[in-house]
Amino acid sequence: MTTRVALRRDAGRIGPESGPWIRQRQVAKIWGPPDTANLAQLVDHRDVVLGWGLLAPDADIPLRLVQFGDRPPAADWFERRLASALAARAGLGLGETLDTTAYREVNSEGDGLPGLVVDRYGDDRVVQLGIPAMVARGAAILEFLRPRTPGQIFVIAGEAAPDAPESVLEFREHGLWFSCPAPPAQKTGAYLDQRDNRRLAASLAARTGGPLLDLGCHVGGFVVHAAAAGVRAVGLDQSARALSFARRNAARNDLTEKTAFVQADMFGALDDPALAGPFGVIVFDPPRIATGSQGRERAVAAMARSLGRLVPRLAPGGFLLACSCSHHVGRGDLDAALLAAGPHGFTRVHALGPGPDHPVWPGHVEGEYLRVNVYQRRDT
């Protein structure tokens, strides 16, 4: 029996331009078994079939569409989309050389596979099953990936990985060696969505003569890239575990003498002498601090307070990278936080996001979660 998700009369226009998520407030009734292993049918209030999707009946997003229209996807749609996602990365040139061996292979809705993330780290893969429908397909995913994976496959079901002995993921990024903790760890590992932005920040630091300061440095990506470009770099993070990997990564690339790391709260006083500046580049990369629209104003205020402490440490002509990994904190909010931080003159010179291995389904505004605004200080 096919499960049917019936929309309310006032659910709004549903189509590709509205994105693939159907929210609980749009649903009038769900008919049939709460079957997450099979596709559910979406119908409007007149019983017209609008599409097919993955069911999570008790969630705020009870249906994530995989296809619009009255015809269901082909029986082998799931395997075909997995193969297509991997082929798309090969089409981007990823995996062709040993220069960069870490990248995203499946990006959820962006690859037509809602709730599934697959990241490649050299010979290993990290798989995140974010919704019940993907957990139900876990065996099929592993069956597809195992013959294509020389190393290990680490699986995260939901938001966190189960308890397991610590393993390490080894990879190269733009010619540099890195390692990060494998699950259970921070999401899927090394924030691959910032990969190309790390190289850009390093080039900006080299142009200014540095040094670079990265707040929220995790395993040291921005710091190591900047040091490799010839400038001194300082990383700050609250996690001792992350900093141990950051120091290891600096040493692995023979960059210990050009790097320093500070354990502290990026929203705190920042009174360590290593943070005094002036810096040619500052990266402000906080964790997700607004999980919903109601937390947006509070998040902007917190960022403004921190930026108020950072802006005086940026040299004239220097660059500030302000990052948001929350869909609810957009580019305009980053602008507002900077404007509230003080009277210094800034202009925005770049508006960045993830690389092309993080595709977004057109119309799925929630899929565009990472914003990186690059500002240049131009005091008059």
Side-chain angles (χ1 to χ4, degrees):
M1 178 180 178
T2 300
T3 304
R4 293 162 65 87
V5 178
L7 294 173
R8 293 164 52 98
R9 182 184 295 271
D10 59 354
R13 182 177 176 82
I14 303 298
E17 68 283 354
S18 66
W21 286 1
I22 302 300
R23 291 173 169 78
Q24 197 70 251
R25 66 176 181 269
Q26 296 173 288
V27 175
K29 190 174 180 62
I30 298 178
W31 303 87
D35 184 3
T36 59
N38 293 301
L39 291 177
Q41 187 183 68
L42 178 69
V43 299
D44 67 11
H45 67 281
R46 296 166 298 184
D47 212 32
V48 175
V49 179
L50 302 178
W52 303 78
L54 302 175
L55 186 68
D58 298 324
D60 184 58
I61 305 167
L63 191 69
R64 299 172 188 243
L65 292 167
V66 300
Q67 185 162 302
F68 288 95
D70 58 355
R71 298 180 60 183
D76 62 346
W77 72 274
F78 190 73
E79 293 77 9
R80 288 172 62 180
R81 291 193 185 181
L82 280 171
S84 177
L86 269 58
R89 275 48 178 194
L92 293 169
L94 295 168
E96 289 183 352
T97 71
L98 294 178
D99 182 65
T100 292
T101 61
Y103 50 92
R104 179 150 294 180
E105 291 186 304
V106 179
N107 193 48
S108 198
E109 283 86 355
D111 285 296
L113 293 161
L116 176 62
V117 168
V118 180
D119 282 348
R120 184 73 183 258
Y121 290 92
D123 288 340
D124 301 323
R125 283 185 166 100
V126 176
V127 177
Q128 184 166 18
L129 311 174
I131 60 174
M134 284 301 166
V135 174
R137 290 166 172 80
I141 294 167
L142 293 178
E143 183 179 353
F144 178 89
L145 291 176
R146 278 198 182 103
R148 298 168 172 85
T149 307
Q152 299 184 73
I153 299 176
F154 299 91
V155 179
I156 309 169
E159 290 295 321
D163 291 337
E166 180 177 287
S167 298
V168 174
L169 299 168
E170 301 270 353
F171 61 99
R172 286 175 69 86
E173 182 175 289
H174 300 308
L176 297 170
W177 279 105
F178 286 93
S179 62
C180 68
Q186 181 67 29
K187 294 190 176 179
T188 60
Y191 296 107
L192 300 180
D193 48 7
Q194 291 274 33
R195 180 185 59 248
D196 295 339
N197 300 331
R198 289 191 274 264
R199 183 164 64 172
L200 173 65
S203 70
L204 293 175
R207 287 181 179 276
T208 65
L212 174 142
L213 171 62
D214 178 20
L215 295 105
C217 70
H218 192 42
V219 299
F222 280 101
V223 171
V224 171
H225 275 284
V231 302
R232 182 156 180 79
V234 181
L236 177 147
D237 204 282
Q238 202 165 10
S239 168
R241 184 186 187 205
L243 290 177
S244 69
F245 275 90
R247 294 186 181 96
R248 183 188 310 181
N249 290 331
R252 178 78 179 271
N253 292 283
D254 296 322
L255 296 169
T256 298
E257 293 185 359
K258 284 187 171 292
T259 59
F261 295 97
V262 176
Q263 185 177 1
D265 180 0
M266 66 187 302
F267 292 101
L270 305 180
D271 52 4
D272 189 285
L275 309 177
F279 294 97
V281 173
I282 295 178
V283 181
F284 179 68
D285 190 10
R288 186 173 63 174
I289 55 176
T291 57
S293 57
Q294 294 180 343
R296 179 177 145 273
E297 290 186 8
R298 187 166 57 252
V300 171
M303 289 190 295
R305 288 192 295 272
S306 291
L307 291 174
R309 290 188 284 270
L310 292 173
V311 165
R313 307 172 199 225
L314 185 66
F319 297 90
L320 169 69
L321 281 73
C323 310
S324 167
C325 61
S326 170
H327 162 69
H328 299 282
V329 179
R331 296 197 187 280
D333 296 314
L334 293 173
D335 286 349
L338 180 60
L339 291 171
H344 302 278
F346 279 89
T347 186
R348 193 198 310 162
V349 295
H350 290 287
L352 306 174
D357 54 334
H358 289 68
V360 177
W361 177 321
H364 185 216
V365 294
E366 296 86 355
E368 193 175 356
Y369 66 95
L370 176 66
R371 285 92 166 189
V372 180
N373 284 356
V374 184
Y375 305 95
Q376 186 175 30
R377 180 173 174 174
R378 299 183 182 178
D379 291 353
T380 57

